[in-house]
Amino acid sequence: MMAGTTDETQVIDRGSKDQPPTNPNKKKTKFDVIIIGAGPAGYTAGIYSSRARHDTLILSGILPGGQLVNTTDVENYPGFENGIMGPDLMINFRKQTERMGTTIIDDEVVNVDFKHKPFKVLTASEEYQANAVIICTGANPRKLGLVGEKTYAGKGVSYCATCDGPFFRNQELVVAGGGDSAIEEATFLTKFASTIHLVHRRDKLRASKIMQERAFADKKIKFYWNMTVEEIIGNGKVQKVILKDTKNEEKTTLDVGGIFVAIGHEPNTKLFTNQIELDTQGYVVVKENTKTNVEGVFAAGDVHDHRYRQAVTAAGMGCMAAIDVDKYLAEI
Ligand code: NAP
């Protein structure tokens, strides 16, 4: 038979008076579990949920993979003796999740309705329904908004000292920010770097007093008050950071191997305003492990965790959320 011709033996489903025809092209929209987001938390939740035999959908967003797709070497994800590139790790996560039977759709969620059951999760073109939802939409580090920041992301510009600190042994580094994160990152980085230049836009730190005292006592940390990062310059990787004095506009050039931007994070939770409880900074509030205040809606990963923020902890929480969902679905 030629391609495109009709097979005469094929039975065409035209339906009947009582039974409407089934449309094989119609998209499946009802699932047991919908996971929103496809970083380490979302994929791990998918693996566990599918292995528990729940019909599971991941709506991954337009750029699946989370923060690790913007990372180069990952040395601290267990199981990879010689480390692994961030994007490769996320491809492995995805393939494993698909092999377990999870449906993954690379589409962006534009709205949700958690007020009625089954819950509704909407993309621009489709409405999906499920009895349980796991929110794994993550958080993004705030950016300085400089051209060089983008050019050298993963090549000297970092947003995570725990992840990237060991790559900067005996180098001089800039840390930008004045909150707990910046001080914590600067203090952690003194284990590796020769000097930390901590750049803050005001003359007072926002960080807690005890962390400030620790940083002031550390001879490796030099403070630059009332200064902003003006430019990040390099050649293949970061070589210089130019600072600007906010008072007299004077510029200072620092020869450094890298810059850690630690000016806060923004959880991706705009979608969930008025649907579930968020804290004052917009993170999802969870009570009792991964449960949100709406029964049947769970959260995992950086979208609620502003303390650890690691791929491995996010993956662990994804597993916890799927186990909590399994128990919840068994109970209902
Ligand atoms: P944060 O408290 O919001 O501090 C952000 C810092 O970055 C502030 O100093 C801010 O300056 C500065 N900043 C913001 N935007 C900037 C920009 N565009 N350019 C230059 N500087 C900018 O964020 P965080 O430090 O990530 O902390 C978030 C939360 O997590 C806090 O509640 C914190 O206590 C908590 N946390 C706790 C620990 C711990 O206890 N070990 C560790 C990390 C974080 P201004 O001060 O001028 O606003």
Side-chain angles (χ1 to χ4, degrees), residues 13-234:
D13 175 15
R14 295 197 169 86
S16 67
K17 194 155 67 73
D18 307 315
Q19 186 79 43
T22 52
N23 177 357
N25 297 322
K26 191 171 178 335
K27 223 178 188 175
K28 182 173 154 56
T29 55
K30 290 189 178 147
F31 292 83
D32 300 329
V33 183
I34 294 177
I35 296 162
I36 309 175
Y43 283 136
T44 308
I47 292 168
Y48 275 77
S49 180
S50 292
R51 291 194 82 239
R53 294 283 175 261
H54 298 302
D55 195 4
T56 304
L57 167 69
I58 292 181
L59 288 164
S60 70
I62 292 164
L63 293 169
Q67 292 178 53
L68 281 188
V69 293
N70 298 319
T71 312
T72 51
D73 283 305
V74 178
E75 284 188 331
N76 57 4
Y77 199 88
F80 297 93
E81 189 188 356
N82 300 314
I84 182 167
M85 298 301 272
D88 294 341
L89 178 60
M90 294 325 295
I91 289 168
N92 288 357
F93 263 87
R94 183 176 178 119
K95 284 185 181 162
Q96 187 179 358
T97 310
E98 281 172 332
R99 195 167 70 80
M100 293 303 141
T102 307
T103 304
I104 302 177
I105 297 177
D106 295 328
D107 203 352
E108 192 176 17
V109 175
V110 296
N111 208 350
V112 295
D113 178 3
F114 296 157
K115 303 242 194 277
H116 309 96
K117 287 178 185 162
F119 301 124
K120 293 190 180 72
V121 179
L122 291 93
T123 65
S125 59
E126 206 64 72
E127 178 185 297
Y128 298 93
Q129 294 184 5
N131 292 321
V133 171
I134 307 176
I135 298 172
C136 304
T137 46
N140 291 325
R142 259 185 227 135
K143 309 278 188 316
L144 292 165
L146 303 169
V147 176
E149 186 182 14
K150 217 171 172 184
T151 311
Y152 298 111
K155 296 171 191 143
V157 175
S158 172
Y159 300 88
C160 175
T162 316
C163 317
D164 300 332
F167 298 121
F168 294 91
R169 280 176 209 278
N170 303 320
Q171 298 189 36
E172 295 200 20
L173 296 172
V174 166
V175 172
D180 279 335
S181 293
I183 299 306
E184 194 172 66
E185 304 262 284
T187 308
F188 177 79
L189 287 168
T190 57
K191 289 183 195 189
F192 313 101
S194 55
T195 306
I196 306 293
H197 304 277
L198 192 127
V199 179
H200 184 35
R201 64 183 177 184
R202 291 188 297 133
D203 62 356
K204 276 192 190 64
L205 295 174
R206 181 180 292 277
S208 55
K209 282 282 175 302
I210 186 159
M211 290 175 76
Q212 292 193 25
E213 283 163 15
R214 210 172 292 150
F216 289 145
D218 196 320
K219 292 199 171 60
K220 277 191 170 181
I221 305 177
K222 281 176 74 178
F223 290 84
Y224 295 74
W225 303 109
N226 300 311
M227 296 270 214
T228 54
V229 177
E230 179 78 355
E231 219 180 325
I232 299 169
I233 299 173

